Structures are given as structure tokens and as C-alpha cells.
Amino acid sequence: MSADNVKLGHDLNEAVTALLVDLPIKAASFIVTIYGDVVEPRGGVVWIGNLIETCKSIGITETLVRTAVSRLVSAGQLAGEREGRRSYYRLTDTAQAEFAEAASLFYGPEPAVRWQFVLINGPSPDEIMQGLERDGFARLSPRLAVGTHPVPPLPGRVIVFNAELATENGALREFAEEAWNLPRFAEAYHEFAVRFGAFSQRAGDCAALSPFDCLIARLLLVHQYRLIMLREPHLPKSALPDNWPGEEARHLFADLYSLLSKKADGYVGRRFVNEAGRLQETTPASQHRLDRLKSR
């Protein structure tokens, strides 16, 4: 997406607009980011008008928002509610649990590594295997995968083995290089650091950014970071190449998220609503995220 082609719902600061250059964003995925960053820690319900306004500013039309929300409802992630003429959408219990687990990955300390082997029994294992690969697992054979992520919900014909490493040596790094496409994740982290490092230099202390600028910048920050974090394998340092860029990206994410949040959360508290009224500017859950980022 070129910044010149973005039809803005607000006049965004040029530092925020520059984040959109050559950054294709899918409506459903960005709406998931809005729920994960803004809505989940504030009860899980929001007016669709807030989604439309926010998405419009990065070039996503109202039609695309409504289509994406309908698909998320069909997928069991959102449930619709009406209050008068307004439509609200709530995270389902399953989605709320998934979002809370993802939040612990983004905002918490470096997760402890827990190795898991997944054995797929029965016919047609490839569909299950592809889902595991999307979640950061590596395919060892047509029926066996290994990874460190929590295993997603799987059919009953799948067996999960927990494992501990007896030793960590050069063989582990060699194995990781063969099992995962680590250069792809390294490139993604590098691109993240370049894009948001440039934003950090332009924005400085964010004094020139409006509260809406800060919200959009934070959403874009979370969105791009989420796309990497949920897919990369989260291996121990002994399995990673030297100068792994994930650490730099992690620190940059923490610093920028903390910097943008005061104004961004202020905007949320003034403009975002659920069926009971305005969303809270801060909640124990949103403050807990900031506290954990600052403690890194």
C-alpha cells in the first residue's frame, strides 16, 4: 500500500503515514489487532463504528470492515449484539482466551522454552500439519512435528509429547537451521526494526503526535509485531544464529508501546464505546501490560 493511495479518516502525522508505505494490511487481521490491543483488556466488546473509524484511517473501507467482521463471526471469534440502532461485537470466550494467551507472549518477559513433539495419527495428516507449521512448529516427517509454542486445539487422534533437552550444543543450532526457515524470520524482524526505528527517530518523544496518531501508530506496531511473534518458533538462544534480530525488535516494541500508550489510551477512553458507555482509558489488564513491558 502506498502512502499516497491511503484515504485517511483523520489527518495523520507524516511520521505515522510513513509507516503505511509498502505495508499491505488485511481488514480481518487488523481488526483482530484492534481487539487484541484495545478491546480485550477492556472487556472484549466494542461498537462497530469505532472499528470503521479506526480502519478508515489506514485505507480500509467500511464495506471491508463489515465483511471482515462477518467472517470473524462465522469463524467463532466474534459474536454480534444490538443496542437500539447500534451494533456491537464481543469476543467469544474461546477468542478471549486465545487473545489473553497471545498478550502474555507480546507483553510479558521472554517465554520459557518448552519443547513439544506432536504425532498425528489417522488418515490425511497434512491439513493438521499445515496448521501446526503456521503456529511455528517444524515438520520432521509427514506425521511428526516439533515446536516450542503451546499446542493449538487439535483432534483427538493427535498425541503430544513434552520433552526436555539433555544437552545444548552446536548440534541444536544445526538442527534448528534445517528444521525452520530462520532467515525468513530474521528478515521480518530486521524489516520491523528498520520501519519502526525510523518512526521512532521521526516521532521523537511523540509531542507532535495527536492522541489518534499515537493510537494508529501503536496498532500498526502491534500488528506487525504480532505477525512475526505468532509464527516464529521461539527457540532458545543456543539454537539461534549469532546477532539474532529478534532481541532488538523486542526492545524496540517495548519502548515504543510504552511511549505511545498514554496518548493512545486517552483517545480510547474518550472515543471508544461499548453497550454500557465509554471504554475505560486504563484497566488493571492494560496497566499490567505496561508494567510487564517496563520490567523487561
Side-chain angles (χ1 to χ4, degrees):
M1 178 185 296
S2 167
D4 295 335
N5 295 329
V6 175
K7 297 185 182 301
L8 302 176
H10 290 250
D11 292 328
L12 294 176
N13 181 280
E14 63 179 10
V16 183
T17 303
L19 287 173
L20 295 167
V21 175
D22 298 324
L23 191 67
I25 299 177
K26 295 180 180 179
S29 183
F30 191 69
I31 289 169
V32 166
T33 296
I34 296 172
Y35 269 89
D37 182 48
V38 174
V39 186
E40 189 274 332
R42 295 173 175 82
V45 185
V46 75
W47 175 44
I48 194 172
N50 292 132
L51 302 178
I52 291 169
E53 176 193 36
T54 305
C55 289
K56 183 179 181 181
S57 291
I58 65 164
I60 299 172
T61 66
E62 178 176 345
T63 299
L64 288 175
V65 170
R66 292 186 182 277
T67 299
V69 167
S70 295
R71 290 175 178 169
L72 290 169
V73 170
S74 298
Q77 290 194 290
L78 297 180
E81 303 175 351
R82 288 196 68 84
E83 184 76 25
R85 298 179 62 184
R86 284 190 167 186
S87 295
Y88 302 86
Y89 287 87
R90 173 187 300 275
L91 284 170
T92 61
D93 290 344
T94 300
Q96 189 102 15
E98 291 175 357
F99 281 36
E101 185 174 310
S104 68
L105 183 65
F106 304 155
Y107 309 105
E110 190 76 31
V113 174
R114 185 181 68 175
W115 291 94
Q116 294 184 309
F117 289 87
V118 182
L119 178 63
I120 306 169
N121 291 308
S124 304
D126 199 55
E127 182 178 352
I128 297 173
M129 182 63 74
Q130 289 177 15
L132 286 168
E133 288 177 319
R134 287 193 294 270
D135 286 327
F137 282 74
R139 181 190 303 238
L140 300 181
S141 75
R143 294 184 179 275
L144 185 65
V146 63
T148 66
H149 281 252
V151 175
L154 295 169
R157 59 192 175 93
V158 170
I159 302 173
V160 179
F161 301 91
N162 291 322
E164 294 184 7
L165 290 181
T167 182
E168 295 190 20
N169 53 34
L172 181 61
R173 180 174 292 190
E174 184 178 346
F175 164 71
E177 289 175 352
E178 293 178 358
W180 284 276
N181 186 357
L182 293 179
R184 177 167 69 95
F185 294 112
E187 181 181 1
Y189 274 131
H190 175 71
E191 290 177 355
F192 174 90
V194 168
R195 184 180 299 272
F196 287 95
F199 168 79
S200 180
Q201 290 184 338
R202 286 176 171 171
D205 62 1
C206 297
L209 301 185
S210 71
F212 188 77
D213 287 327
C214 289
L215 175 63
I216 295 301
R218 192 179 75 178
L219 287 170
L220 292 171
L221 176 78
V222 173
H223 186 74
Q224 291 307 113
Y225 193 62
R226 175 176 71 86
L227 293 180
I228 309 170
M229 284 288 282
L230 292 182
R231 291 171 173 80
E232 74 115 313
H234 299 288
L235 302 175
K237 291 181 179 179
S238 57
L240 294 171
D242 293 331
N243 301 316
W244 180 249
E247 191 66 22
E248 177 188 359
R250 193 173 182 84
H251 287 300
L252 179 60
F253 174 83
D255 291 345
L256 278 178
Y257 192 95
S258 299
L259 182 65
L260 293 164
S261 284
K262 184 174 183 179
K263 284 186 176 181
D265 288 339
Y267 184 88
V268 170
R270 289 191 298 274
R271 295 297 298 270
F272 277 61
V273 297
N274 59 22
E275 72 276 24
R278 293 180 182 176
L279 298 191
Q280 295 181 47
E281 179 174 332
T282 59
T283 65
S286 68
Q287 186 60 48
H288 183 59
R289 292 180 177 185
L290 290 170
D291 292 342
R292 295 185 78 185
L293 285 175
K294 291 174 183 176
S295 67
R296 283 183 178 177

